[in-house]
Amino acid sequence: RSHKRNPNNSTWFSKLGHQPNLKMPKLTIEAIAGRDLGIFDTLSKSSDPYLEISVLADLAPYKQKTKVQESTTSPTWNETFTVEAKKFSSELTIKCLDKDLVGDDFMGVVLFNLRDLKEGESVEGWYPLTDTKGVKNPKFPGEIKLKLTLKP
């Protein structure tokens, strides 16, 4: 007599190494605001900033964008993004960009080392924009306010 495997049988799952209802760590990124950002639209003497958030989650790229805040160097986003994964890359990249009709301008970046964030912990603060190597540069003035939380 043949034995059919029942996928709902937890013993069958555990033999295959699956763990049903396993909670994965959750990274929450709150993009709150910006202040004293650079002027990248010379005609309007302002900028149309938005943030592009990216991280590797289980080796797959996770990328999200905030809404564009028009004609301001002190935007308020108040947007929250959550990503679940067994493993995150060590670096979270948050680019600040100026929306243009053709080709958006790079306004600076915040490179955040996720190894500094412990599970169950939140960090919140104003982070200065830097160049792509993480070096402060007068071409990229301003700061963005972020809150990051890693839940087990």
Side-chain angles (χ1 to χ4, degrees):
R1 156 182 158 199
S2 72
H3 293 289
K4 288 188 181 174
R5 291 204 168 135
N6 179 352
N8 296 323
N9 179 331
S10 61
T11 320
W12 181 76
F13 267 107
S14 61
K15 284 180 184 170
L16 290 178
H18 295 289
Q19 297 178 355
N21 301 324
L22 178 70
K23 282 194 168 184
M24 289 197 283
K26 206 181 276 189
L27 176 64
T28 302
I29 303 131
E30 294 177 55
I32 301 168
R35 66 181 176 198
D36 305 320
L37 301 181
I39 294 171
F40 282 79
D41 294 335
T42 50
L43 287 176
S44 66
K45 296 192 179 3
S46 192
S47 291
D48 303 315
Y50 70 94
L51 299 178
E52 183 180 88
I53 297 158
S54 55
V55 67
L56 282 181
D58 292 334
L59 302 177
Y62 170 86
K63 195 177 272 194
Q64 291 291 327
K65 294 178 183 177
T66 63
K67 290 183 176 70
V68 174
Q69 300 299 309
E70 294 184 7
S71 301
T72 183
T73 56
S74 295
T76 300
W77 291 289
N78 286 327
E79 292 184 51
T80 302
F81 305 93
T82 301
V83 58
E84 283 185 61
K86 287 181 224 137
K87 187 174 180 175
F88 294 101
S89 61
S90 59
E91 191 169 81
L92 170 68
T93 302
I94 301 174
K95 283 185 196 173
C96 188
L97 299 155
D98 172 46
K99 184 72 178 161
D100 284 327
L101 291 175
V102 180
D104 297 348
D105 296 317
F106 176 78
M107 297 178 73
V109 66
V110 172
L111 304 172
F112 194 89
N113 187 342
L114 290 177
R115 290 188 186 120
D116 295 340
L117 189 60
K118 308 287 181 264
E119 279 195 11
E121 183 180 84
S122 284
V123 294
E124 181 174 353
W126 287 95
Y127 296 90
L129 293 172
T130 66
D131 65 16
T132 55
K133 292 179 175 68
V135 178
K136 191 67 185 138
N137 183 323
K139 284 197 284 187
F140 310 116
E143 303 173 303
I144 54 176
K145 187 173 186 181
L146 303 168
K147 182 177 180 183
L148 307 175
T149 308
L150 186 60
K151 293 182 179 167

